[in-house]
Amino acid sequence: MNTDEPSGAEAWVLGWQVKFHRWAQTDKTQKFEDVYNLVCDERTLREAWRHVRSNKGSKTAGVDGQTRYTVQASGEEKFLQRIRKELKAGTYRPRPVREKAIPKKSGKIRRLGIPALRDRVIQQALRLVLEPIFEADFYVSSYAYRPGRRAQDAIAEIFHYTMPAIGYAWVVEGDIRACFDNVHHGVLLEEIRKRVTDRKVLRLVRAFLKSGVMTELGAFRRTMTGTPQGGILSPLLANIYLGRLDGYCLKKWKGYGKNFSQRQKFRKKGHATSYLVRFADDFVILVKGTREQAESLKEETANFLREELHMELSLEKTRITHVTEGFDFLGYHIVLKANHIGRVGMHTYPSKESLRRVQEKVKKLTSRITEHQTLGQVLAQVNPVLRGWANYFQFAYSQRALRYLGHYAWLRMYRWMRRKHKVPAGKLRRKYIPNWTFRDGKRTLFQIQKVKVERYAYRGAHIPNPWNQGTEPLTRKHQADRMSAESKFLERLDDRCAF
């Protein structure tokens, strides 16, 4: 088994993934009965190991103490053959996940569960089999943990529906309390069984859910509910589980009518229409109606979560706002307001909280505790922070924020240099900051204010994934949709909306 040449295994796995995805899309009632052999196949395990090995998390050990380095030292082939043998014989049992507590920005604690390395490989193999099947069923406006989708797609979707031309003006900001910890195992397995009926696969998924947790104090805790954050399979399982919420909202959306005019007739009867945009356990429900109707929809959603998914909405994070007030979602601030020439349109900005957090990171990296480092070492830590923030927010109305952050980073570096070298400003500039540029060899301070800001292309329902590229006429269909009456109207208003 040559793990240094994964291209053959990768092509083989991609081949049956494309078939599974096409079959699942073609027939929404088809059940996949015999897929366990694919999980056990050496080519699937080889491809799974390639994914796990390339992930930075492979340097972190689970309860077994193994990392990718220990596996490579003892032999990757022996490691994978042992896994395959246990899976084929039915003797495989996942080990408890290692608990790691990390602080959240709210001051609370998030508890991650780090699986053993061999468990990560098998979870990845399961994901390779299950993901293309369930991807065909996932809600069109669910964006987290899905291939080919980004947080910017969710923001663009919200931007599209809250434009004055469409008019979804009330926003129910939803957040599910401890979503990953409260996943009901019975409901989750019932959802998986709708598509995959292979008992061995279901038994394997159940084994991971029931594997337990080894706390930081060394105590074992059973897991009666939940799926551990940090597991490779957990995001996919969460999406499958929350698919019930997606299906509930989608059924309501279809009940409003098939097109814009039918939904408009529905609203003229005094009813409200709503649309769900979800990113993992964070979601917004966009409502076209009154505030009272938005309150009613919030209560309906809370009741559905409680009764069907055994989950509760977070009271402190769930609220109702009007687009003219503005709201924060995924780090963006979205608001309807007039621009500098008085035209009213939707605007998206980096939120104040996002800007504050990146400033804190830059401040920490340029504080007194880093004075022992060289300029190059500090730049190597500051630049990725600035570049990552700019790449995420370059699709918003962020010119002022980028200029401000660029100035802030420069000023922090200047103060860091003065503390480090303890020389007058004139000498510091001549000797250490020529042309007022922080440079160490080929590395210079990232010029975040020069990042190009542009509008993100709204892709709607036509977002390709690795299994449908080249199999669907996405571009032609997208162009046909854009020729609809609603899209033509939006194009005439395009210059009124700054994104």
Side-chain angles (χ1 to χ4, degrees):
M1 188 182 299
N2 187 2
T3 54
D4 294 325
E5 297 291 341
S7 57
E10 182 178 5
W12 181 80
V13 168
L14 182 60
W16 53 257
Q17 283 184 322
V18 170
K19 292 179 182 178
F20 279 9
H21 185 69
R22 188 186 304 124
W23 295 339
Q25 275 192 321
T26 304
D27 185 358
K28 296 295 184 180
T29 62
Q30 180 172 348
K31 298 182 185 294
F32 295 79
E33 300 176 353
D34 187 14
V35 294
Y36 186 74
N37 288 334
L38 289 175
V39 178
C40 303
D41 192 280
E42 65 178 27
R43 288 164 291 187
T44 305
L45 294 174
R46 185 185 305 161
E47 181 64 9
W49 168 242
R50 185 178 71 86
H51 282 274
V52 172
R53 183 182 56 187
S54 62
N55 194 295
K56 291 183 179 179
S58 62
K59 300 177 183 178
T60 306
V63 294
D64 59 351
Q66 278 194 320
T67 65
R68 78 177 186 209
Y69 301 116
T70 57
V71 170
Q72 289 171 339
S74 60
E76 297 178 6
E77 181 179 353
K78 186 186 300 182
F79 173 71
L80 294 177
Q81 289 288 5
R82 189 183 307 117
I83 291 176
R84 184 168 183 264
K85 184 178 179 181
E86 290 183 15
L87 287 173
K88 295 287 284 184
T91 59
Y92 169 77
R93 298 292 182 273
R95 299 184 181 182
V97 298
R98 182 170 69 87
E99 188 178 68
K100 178 67 176 178
I102 59 173
K104 298 171 67 174
K105 62 179 182 180
S106 61
K108 298 181 181 179
I109 298 296
R110 174 181 285 113
R111 299 188 182 278
L112 298 181
I114 304 172
L117 195 65
R118 66 168 194 154
D119 296 340
R120 278 176 256 177
V121 173
I122 299 174
Q123 286 189 28
Q124 180 62 37
L126 266 175
R127 180 180 175 181
L128 291 174
V129 172
L130 297 178
E131 192 170 37
I133 297 172
F134 286 96
E135 182 65 28
D137 298 333
F138 283 155
Y139 181 55
V140 66
S141 293
S142 165
Y143 294 99
Y145 313 125
R146 294 180 61 186
R149 292 171 175 253
R150 310 169 63 185
Q152 286 82 0
D153 288 310
I155 299 300
E157 186 87 6
I158 295 170
F159 181 89
H160 172 79
Y161 278 94
T162 53
M163 289 172 65
I166 298 183
Y168 283 75
W170 290 101
V171 181
V172 180
E173 305 173 60
D175 182 87
I176 301 173
R177 182 185 292 118
C179 176
F180 282 83
D181 296 335
N182 291 317
V183 170
H184 190 281
H185 295 171
V187 175
L188 174 59
L189 291 169
E190 183 181 338
E191 289 297 310
I192 297 175
R193 202 175 287 114
K194 290 179 180 178
R195 275 297 200 174
V196 178
T197 57
D198 190 319
R199 293 185 179 181
K200 292 182 179 179
V201 169
L202 294 171
R203 194 180 301 124
L204 191 56
V205 173
R206 182 188 290 274
F208 280 120
L209 295 173
K210 300 292 187 182
S211 61
V213 175
M214 190 65 69
T215 67
E216 292 182 295
L217 298 177
F220 175 78
R221 185 176 72 246
R222 297 180 63 186
T223 48
M224 305 305 296
T225 61
T227 176
Q229 296 187 59
I232 292 175
L233 197 59
S234 296
L236 175 61
L237 297 180
N239 270 335
I240 295 172
Y241 191 77
L242 292 174
R244 277 203 178 184
L245 173 63
D246 299 339
Y248 169 73
C249 293
L250 181 61
K251 184 178 180 180
K252 293 181 65 175
W253 173 257
K254 290 181 177 178
Y256 303 144
K258 295 181 179 180
N259 51 44
F260 182 80
S261 61
Q262 289 184 7
R263 290 191 289 272
Q264 196 169 20
K265 291 179 181 178
F266 183 81
R267 285 188 290 267
K268 286 182 178 179
K269 296 178 181 178
H271 305 298
T273 56
S274 61
Y275 190 79
L276 172 73
V277 179
R278 185 174 66 82
F279 193 91
D281 57 338
D282 294 323
F283 64 88
V284 294
I285 300 176
L286 309 174
V287 182
K288 193 169 184 179
T290 64
R291 182 182 179 91
E292 290 72 23
Q293 290 170 327
E295 290 278 2
S296 177
L297 283 167
K298 173 187 170 183
E299 292 301 320
E300 287 179 25
T301 305
N303 291 335
F304 178 84
L305 286 170
R306 189 180 306 111
E307 295 171 5
E308 296 291 329
L309 297 179
H310 309 278
M311 290 183 168
E312 296 286 340
L313 284 178
S314 175
L315 296 179
E316 62 271 17
K317 294 182 180 180
T318 302
R319 50 188 174 269
I320 297 175
T321 55
H322 196 270
V323 290
T324 54
E325 303 172 28
F327 62 98
D328 292 347
F329 188 63
L330 303 181
Y332 285 82
H333 182 70
I334 307 170
V335 63
L336 175 69
K337 69 173 193 174
N339 61 13
H340 63 285
I341 59 174
R343 289 182 176 177
V344 177
M346 292 304 301
H347 293 70
T348 57
Y349 304 93
S351 68
K352 291 182 180 180
E353 177 65 16
S354 299
L355 186 59
R356 183 188 65 80
R357 290 172 65 187
V358 72
Q359 285 181 262
E360 288 181 352
K361 290 181 181 179
V362 173
K363 184 177 181 179
K364 183 177 180 180
L365 294 173
T366 55
S367 62
R368 294 183 183 276
I369 61 175
T370 63
E371 288 181 14
H372 66 284
Q373 299 180 6
T374 65
L375 174 60
Q377 290 173 327
V378 173
L379 290 176
Q381 298 175 73
V382 172
N383 282 350
V385 173
L386 298 177
R387 187 177 292 109
W389 198 86
N391 289 341
Y392 186 77
F393 289 107
Q394 72 180 62
F395 303 107
Y397 193 72
S398 54
Q399 293 93 332
R400 291 182 63 184
L402 293 174
R403 287 196 297 269
Y404 172 78
L405 187 56
H407 174 73
Y408 178 82
W410 188 94
L411 191 61
R412 289 296 310 177
M413 289 299 304
Y414 177 77
R415 292 176 177 174
W416 181 85
M417 292 285 283
R418 287 208 66 176
R419 289 196 305 268
K420 181 177 178 66
H421 297 289
K422 298 179 176 61
V423 295
K427 185 177 180 180
L428 181 72
R429 183 184 65 83
R430 291 191 302 271
K431 187 174 181 180
Y432 299 104
I433 319 177
N435 300 321
W436 295 107
T437 302
F438 296 98
R439 182 187 301 274
D440 185 21
K442 295 182 179 179
R443 185 178 285 123
T444 60
L445 180 64
F446 179 68
Q447 301 294 305
I448 191 172
Q449 63 273 14
K450 294 183 179 180
V451 172
K452 182 181 178 181
V453 175
E454 55 188 345
R455 182 172 176 175
Y456 190 77
Y458 173 58
R459 300 189 288 173
H462 311 292
I463 302 177
N465 59 51
W467 313 295
N468 65 13
Q469 295 183 21
T471 62
E472 296 179 359
L474 298 176
T475 304
R476 185 178 301 172
K477 186 176 181 181
H478 195 187
Q479 290 174 347
D481 288 348
R482 287 182 64 86
M483 294 305 292
S484 65
E486 186 174 334
S487 293
K488 286 181 180 179
F489 185 48
L490 294 178
E491 286 176 3
R492 291 198 298 270
L493 295 175
D494 191 51
D495 60 334
R496 296 176 57 185
C497 301
F499 181 52

